[in-house]
Amino acid sequence: MKIIILGAGQVGGSLAENLANEANDITVVDSDGVRLRELQDRLDIRTVQGRGSYPTVLRQAGADDADMLIAVTNSDETNMVACQVAYSLFKTPTKISRIRANAYLARKELFGETGFPVDVLISPEHLVTQHITRLIEYPGTLQVLEFSKGLVRLVAIRATEGGPLVGHELSYLRTHMPRIETRVAAIFRKDRAIMPQGSTVIEDGDEVFFIAGADHIRSVMSELQPLERPYKRIFICGGGNIGQRLAHTLEGRYNVRLLERDRERCVMLSENLRKTIVLEGNAANKDLLLEENIENTDVFCAVTNDDEANIMASLLAKRLGARKVLTLINNPDYVDLIQGGEIDVAISPQQTTIGSLLTHVRRGDVVSVHSLRRGAAEAIEAVAHGDHRSSRVVGRRLDEIKLPTGTTIGAIVRDNEVFIAHDHLRIEPDDHVILFLVDKTRIREVEKLFQVGLTFF
């Protein structure tokens, strides 16, 4: 595909890297020449320096025959105008825009047929809030991903001593829990991927990805680690867009405290949040945290715009007794360094956002995409079309499908019913198939499996 990306920041840069590695024709537009040169030194892409909403700049970037425009600059207004220009002057087929301000997102009539011609709205703040909320709903998880409107979930969890399955073969799971349907999609041991088989022994410290129906998640988790008690007290550091959204989402079910440095912002937050206790101060202040009984906090979420401030506040909170620490990290180089030590989960907004963008880039009928393990792995939900003559998957049993190396089918959703993958299961037309790819470079082979041959037409 020929794709123009507006904005060479963290999201735009990460997206360019993901898409360039998949042999797409990528052009990145930004007014910052230094940032563009850095990207061009690393990636096989074109770059154009200039303001992304200007018609002359878009034409220079190749908008005349582009398949897709992805506007992810830091300015909502630039993104919206760029989509309008791409539609009016260049008839660009697909236009994706990042919109951060709730003032715009709350007015759906601003977009679509009667408003700005944006085909897909992406809100990183909304996606990150969803991601953190799921981690809080399922204590002990590293990642919780939804497919088929929440019917199926893919959960990443660290196996720890005390879990009944730890030290046993995977086949033990079926004998121990005969009524629970689940499938282990992948195991990562010391950053090395292991394709799971019945004889695979789960070891302490393994990062296990399993797929199950929403009702069975906690039961499977209890096999891999001692179940943590539900969270009650949440402490949020940072009252920006993400902090405010998170407090608003959680305050109806949890005891939420939000710490913000800026006095005016504190006043605004206290007026807009109903049950959240808003505090003014600095999270690096040890006395303030002790005063607020940080040792009784179940989850400390550091979500300011400053990575270093988030890391330092999280380390301090953990040392002072916070049970679980979730830290927002914008710099992808920091994520691997800090997760799994004193910081329990490092959250990368780029990886959370990129999955949503990749959904619209994938060939075939792909409903959702989730980028995993800092972009190395991927989980996708694809719809099977055609019949046994025109499709490589429809009408075939799972053990008859030649999947690319490192790819597993985890589950099939048919008419709102979940079928966990077994060899004898046969794929039918319009089935939603959930796949896990340990090696994302195999994505093109997976896409071809779900593309319909000419005989279908």
Side-chain angles (χ1 to χ4, degrees):
M1 294 179 77
K2 187 170 182 180
I3 301 169
I4 299 173
I5 298 171
L6 305 184
Q10 294 285 6
V11 172
S14 300
L15 185 62
E17 189 167 354
N18 272 268
L19 297 178
N21 289 338
E22 296 173 17
N24 292 291
D25 181 358
I26 306 296
T27 303
V28 178
V29 179
D30 200 288
S31 50
D32 184 344
V34 175
R35 179 74 182 133
L36 289 176
R37 280 192 294 277
E38 284 174 5
L39 281 178
Q40 208 165 18
D41 287 345
R42 286 193 298 116
L43 308 172
D44 181 20
I45 59 171
R46 280 184 68 228
T47 61
V48 173
Q49 187 173 355
R51 194 172 178 85
S53 56
Y54 288 177
T56 50
V57 173
L58 284 175
R59 176 162 274 125
Q60 193 183 342
D64 285 311
D65 60 347
D67 298 302
M68 183 179 289
L69 175 84
I70 303 175
V72 288
T73 74
N74 287 326
S75 164
D76 289 351
E77 292 76 17
T78 298
N79 296 339
M80 290 154 69
V81 171
C83 288
Q84 181 70 65
V85 172
Y87 170 78
S88 301
L89 298 185
F90 305 109
K91 301 293 181 278
T92 306
T94 305
K95 299 158 294 296
I96 299 174
S97 176
R98 173 166 81 170
I99 305 292
R100 306 173 81 170
N102 211 38
Y104 293 134
L105 291 170
R107 307 304 295 265
K108 297 298 179 193
E109 64 271 23
L110 282 173
F111 306 97
E113 290 180 12
T114 56
F116 286 95
V118 177
D119 300 302
V120 183
L121 283 173
I122 299 287
S123 168
E125 288 80 6
H126 174 67
L127 294 169
V128 168
T129 300
Q130 267 188 336
H131 179 53
I132 296 174
T133 302
R134 287 194 204 115
L135 294 177
I136 290 171
E137 286 171 351
Y138 293 97
T141 53
L142 298 171
Q143 207 164 4
V144 182
L145 308 171
E146 285 191 350
F147 297 93
S148 289
K149 298 175 183 172
L151 287 172
V152 182
R153 292 188 177 165
L154 174 68
V155 176
I157 188 170
R158 196 169 301 286
T160 52
E161 216 169 311
L165 190 60
V166 178
H168 290 86
E169 294 183 351
L170 271 179
S171 55
Y172 173 78
L173 187 60
R174 189 164 293 171
T175 55
H176 194 239
M177 304 177 74
R179 295 184 183 179
I180 300 293
E181 284 283 289
T182 186
R183 173 85 183 242
V184 173
I187 298 166
F188 288 87
R189 183 174 296 159
K190 294 176 182 170
D191 281 338
R192 188 172 60 87
I194 297 170
M195 293 311 294
Q197 295 173 349
S199 58
T200 304
V201 176
I202 298 288
E203 294 183 7
D204 180 38
D206 282 356
E207 193 176 326
V208 181
F209 285 83
F210 71 85
I211 290 174
D215 298 342
H216 295 156
I217 296 297
R218 292 187 199 281
S219 302
V220 182
M221 284 175 61
S222 68
E223 290 293 303
L224 293 162
Q225 60 174 226
L227 269 187
E228 294 189 28
R229 68 179 189 274
Y231 300 141
K232 290 180 183 176
R233 298 179 185 85
I234 315 295
F235 195 107
I236 301 169
C237 168
N241 286 335
I242 292 175
Q244 182 180 0
R245 276 178 178 271
L246 193 57
H248 179 72
T249 305
L250 298 175
E251 65 180 359
R253 292 173 290 161
Y254 302 91
N255 177 337
V256 181
R257 289 170 186 254
L258 189 154
L259 183 63
E260 167 60 39
R261 296 177 68 162
D262 184 79
R263 178 178 285 273
E264 283 183 27
R265 185 77 182 168
C266 283
V267 171
M268 187 278 289
L269 289 167
S270 58
E271 288 171 353
N272 286 284
L273 296 168
R274 292 179 296 111
K275 295 183 178 179
T276 301
I277 296 171
V278 179
L279 308 164
E280 183 191 346
N282 187 343
N285 185 328
K286 180 180 175 181
D287 293 334
L288 188 151
L289 293 180
L290 288 171
E291 233 175 79
E292 296 302 325
N293 300 316
I294 195 70
E295 70 278 7
N296 295 325
T297 296
D298 292 316
V299 185
F300 181 89
C301 304
V303 291
T304 75
N305 290 325
D306 185 327
D307 285 357
E308 285 77 11
N310 288 344
I311 292 168
M312 296 311 293
S314 298
L315 291 173
L316 181 59
K318 190 74 170 182
R319 295 265 170 94
L320 295 175
R323 187 170 142 204
K324 187 76 72 175
V325 170
L326 311 181
T327 311
L328 191 72
I329 304 292
N330 284 289
N331 186 338
D333 296 335
Y334 285 179
V335 175
D336 288 334
L337 283 174
I338 66 164
Q339 179 164 295
E342 293 199 46
I343 289 171
D344 299 291
V345 183
I347 294 155
S348 165
Q350 296 90 318
Q351 289 305 324
T352 309
T353 306
I354 280 165
S356 292
L357 293 166
L358 290 176
T359 303
H360 307 284
V361 177
R362 295 281 170 255
R363 295 180 176 89
D365 188 355
V366 173
V367 181
S368 59
V369 175
H370 293 286
S371 186
L372 309 165
R373 293 193 59 81
R374 276 67 79 194
E378 200 165 285
I380 70 173
E381 177 182 349
V383 183
H385 293 296
D387 56 26
H388 68 281
R389 293 186 303 276
S390 60
S391 168
R392 294 179 180 88
V393 295
V394 173
R396 288 168 173 76
R397 287 169 30 135
L398 295 191
D399 58 358
E400 295 171 343
I401 298 170
K402 291 180 180 175
L403 291 169
T405 307
T407 304
T408 52
I409 293 177
I412 291 170
V413 180
R414 181 182 302 152
D415 299 326
N416 286 332
E417 191 176 351
V418 178
F419 298 90
I420 296 301
H422 296 295
D423 286 349
H424 64 271
L425 198 58
R426 205 175 287 275
I427 294 180
E428 296 181 5
D430 299 323
D431 279 356
H432 285 234
V433 183
I434 292 132
L435 304 103
F436 189 98
L437 290 79
V438 163
D439 180 2
K440 208 192 74 168
T441 60
R442 302 279 187 173
I443 189 68
R444 285 285 172 261
E445 296 168 56
V446 174
E447 287 176 341
K448 282 177 186 172
L449 277 178
F450 285 87
Q451 285 175 329
V452 178
L454 289 174
T455 53
F456 183 55
F457 302 99

